[in-house]
Amino acid sequence: MNYMIGIEREGIRIFPDGRMADTPHPPEFGDKLMNPLIGTDFGEAMLELRTRPCPDPESCYRELLEVTKEAERVLKLHGELLWPYSIPFLTPGENEFPYNRYPGREDMEDHERVITKIYGIKRNCISGIHVNFSIGRDALRRMRQHYPEVPEDRDEAYLRCARQILAHEEGIRYFYDASPTDFDGKMLEDDSLRNSEKGFRHKRAKLLDFSSKAVYLESLKKTKSYERLAAIRLKSKDKENFDEGIADHGIERLEFRLCDIDPFDPCGISEREMKLVLVILFTCMAAEEIPNAPKDLLSKCEDVDRKLKLGFGKEILFYQKQVECGIRKCDRVRKLIREEGVPGIIKIALKYRDLAIEKKEYAN
């Protein structure tokens, strides 16, 4: 299939005792605004590790692994670790928090203080994985051979996919929820603090209307950029102004935002999870009806995978068996924290740093 996938992985730099690093962005990474692979997000301590657009999940995972290796190598030199969990721990107060420094870009520095007043430090420091997805017109034509209801217009196809993701978020979250604790490490009933209303979400994101491109652009006027925090976002080429970029150039890609950091993979997301994201996105773009029950959702994905020859059948079968056995990633996180507490996550961070990030060491 003619598509591209890319990953943005957020992660907090910490000291070995769990405290958030208060040191500047490591100089080995270069200019945080110029390095396309390693930058920062909220504050100096939050790294953002990125891949370039890749033609398949295998090459995307390899690139993310290499970027992660480099980040871990540099952090080891500075006596720091990469926190492998979505929810921050031992976060400093606002007066001590190391905000980003952007010489000559006071607007960006001011933005962090604005959103601190809205979300607070802890919520802003919640980390996650963003999966960027774009599809070529040839792939759309191929999809229409099997699913004629798929729009010919690529923007409308993206909007259709976004509507389905938002409508069936509950079922999709089953596979990616992995932050069932509060900011102090205490267990919650929710499987993902990050994806809940108490996490990094904004209620005004519900004002966005994905029914058509014109309606969507009009609904953007009702919200500010920091209010559009939802399971999926539409992105344009224009990095400074997404709204005008979509109006002028169309939708460049979808950003799937439901992935908690997976503490059981050194990259925060496994190759298998990337493949599941892809088949879900294709299913939401192609299928008329998407079930919410995880088992039924996978059956629909299996049908789409077979018709479009995506080649993700082994991954779908793996998750089908996981669902049948009642194995969930959030339950593995609960077990880890019940048995070892937050130090168990620090132990994982030490392992990833000290074992030099060789994938074979982390077979589940």
Side-chain angles (χ1 to χ4, degrees):
M1 291 291 284
N2 172 218
Y3 66 85
M4 301 295 281
I5 176 176
I7 299 293
E8 299 168 8
R9 183 256 175 104
E10 300 162 339
I12 300 290
R13 290 187 291 115
I14 64 166
F15 297 124
D17 62 2
R19 289 179 298 119
M20 180 182 293
D22 57 4
T23 53
H25 187 61
E28 292 89 343
F29 296 146
D31 188 324
K32 67 184 77 168
L33 293 178
M34 299 301 293
N35 187 335
L37 302 179
I38 302 178
T40 59
D41 197 290
F42 179 76
E44 288 281 298
M46 182 182 278
L47 291 180
E48 186 174 87
L49 310 182
R50 316 178 190 104
T51 72
R52 291 164 291 199
C54 301
D56 53 66
E58 294 86 357
S59 59
C60 187
Y61 185 86
R62 285 196 301 270
E63 180 161 319
L64 182 59
L65 187 62
E66 290 304 312
V67 175
T68 304
K69 285 182 183 180
E70 175 61 14
E72 293 279 12
R73 182 190 70 79
V74 170
L75 294 188
K76 188 171 185 177
L77 294 175
H78 291 265
E80 297 175 358
L81 304 170
L82 186 61
W83 179 241
Y85 188 52
S86 284
I87 306 305
F89 183 59
L90 298 181
T91 311
E94 185 176 347
N95 292 335
E96 300 82 29
F97 183 76
Y99 286 103
N100 264 306
R101 297 295 181 187
Y102 297 107
R105 289 299 306 268
E106 289 77 11
D107 58 320
M108 297 180 69
E109 295 181 10
D110 292 342
H111 175 71
E112 290 198 346
R113 286 169 173 77
V114 168
I115 61 176
T116 293
K117 293 178 181 178
I118 298 168
Y119 298 107
I121 294 292
K122 290 182 183 294
R123 287 179 73 188
N124 272 307
C125 288
I126 295 175
S127 302
I129 297 278
H130 300 160
V131 181
N132 290 287
F133 169 79
S134 61
I135 188 169
R137 290 182 173 82
D138 289 343
L140 273 181
R141 283 192 287 269
R142 180 173 165 185
M143 289 180 69
R144 285 177 53 77
Q145 293 174 4
H146 301 280
Y147 299 96
E149 63 271 20
V150 174
E152 292 184 35
D153 181 80
R154 186 163 53 178
D155 286 355
E156 294 302 325
Y158 284 142
L159 286 158
R160 174 188 171 91
C161 183
R163 289 195 298 271
Q164 296 274 42
I165 292 288
L166 292 169
H168 303 285
E169 178 181 343
E170 181 181 346
I172 297 169
R173 273 184 54 177
Y174 179 93
F175 304 102
Y176 297 103
D177 282 356
S179 58
T181 64
D182 65 14
F183 296 105
D184 297 316
K186 296 178 182 177
M187 217 62 67
L188 303 171
E189 291 185 11
D190 204 301
D191 295 332
S192 173
L193 172 61
R194 174 178 168 270
N195 284 325
S196 73
E197 291 297 324
K198 295 180 180 179
F200 203 43
R201 292 294 184 92
H202 200 290
K203 59 184 179 181
R204 288 182 64 82
K206 295 177 182 178
L207 296 176
L208 296 176
D209 190 332
F210 293 81
S211 55
S212 72
K213 182 178 173 180
V215 171
Y216 176 75
L217 288 170
E218 190 62 30
S219 71
L220 284 175
K221 299 175 183 178
K222 302 175 184 177
T223 60
K224 298 179 175 67
S225 61
Y226 55 78
E227 297 173 336
R228 299 166 191 163
L229 302 174
I232 195 98
R233 295 185 78 175
L234 308 181
K235 293 296 188 78
S236 72
K237 293 179 181 179
D238 191 335
K239 295 182 180 180
E240 293 290 329
N241 193 325
F242 287 122
D243 301 3
E244 291 181 5
I246 289 176
D248 296 341
H249 310 293
I251 302 166
E252 183 193 39
R253 65 190 188 279
L254 293 176
E255 183 183 74
F256 180 90
R257 300 168 55 88
L258 283 177
C259 299
D260 274 331
I261 299 292
D262 181 354
F264 306 111
D265 190 281
C267 292
I269 183 173
S270 67
E271 183 181 311
R272 182 181 284 136
E273 288 173 311
M274 289 184 192
K275 291 179 179 179
L276 184 63
V277 171
L278 284 170
V279 75
I280 287 174
L281 290 171
F282 275 108
T283 299
C284 287
M285 196 175 291
E288 189 67 34
E289 296 183 8
I290 308 293
N292 261 324
K295 186 176 180 180
D296 296 334
L297 172 61
L298 290 171
S299 295
K300 182 65 72 172
C301 288
E302 188 176 36
D303 180 63
V304 171
D305 179 75
R306 184 173 57 252
K307 287 182 179 178
L308 299 183
K309 296 182 173 59
L310 297 174
F312 302 147
K314 290 182 180 179
E315 285 69 34
I316 295 170
L317 179 61
F318 170 83
Y319 284 107
Q320 285 173 335
K321 290 180 178 178
Q322 296 280 296
V323 171
E324 290 169 3
C325 296
I327 299 173
R328 298 186 303 165
K329 188 164 51 179
C330 58
D331 292 331
R332 292 182 64 199
V333 175
R334 282 193 174 92
K335 183 174 185 292
L336 169 71
I337 295 178
R338 283 197 181 105
E339 292 178 353
E340 301 190 44
V342 173
I345 297 178
I346 296 176
K347 190 185 298 183
I348 290 176
L350 283 164
K351 180 178 74 171
Y352 290 158
R353 184 192 72 174
D354 294 340
L355 291 181
I357 311 299
E358 291 297 332
K359 185 173 183 290
K360 63 184 178 183
E361 301 285 353
Y362 308 105
N364 292 331

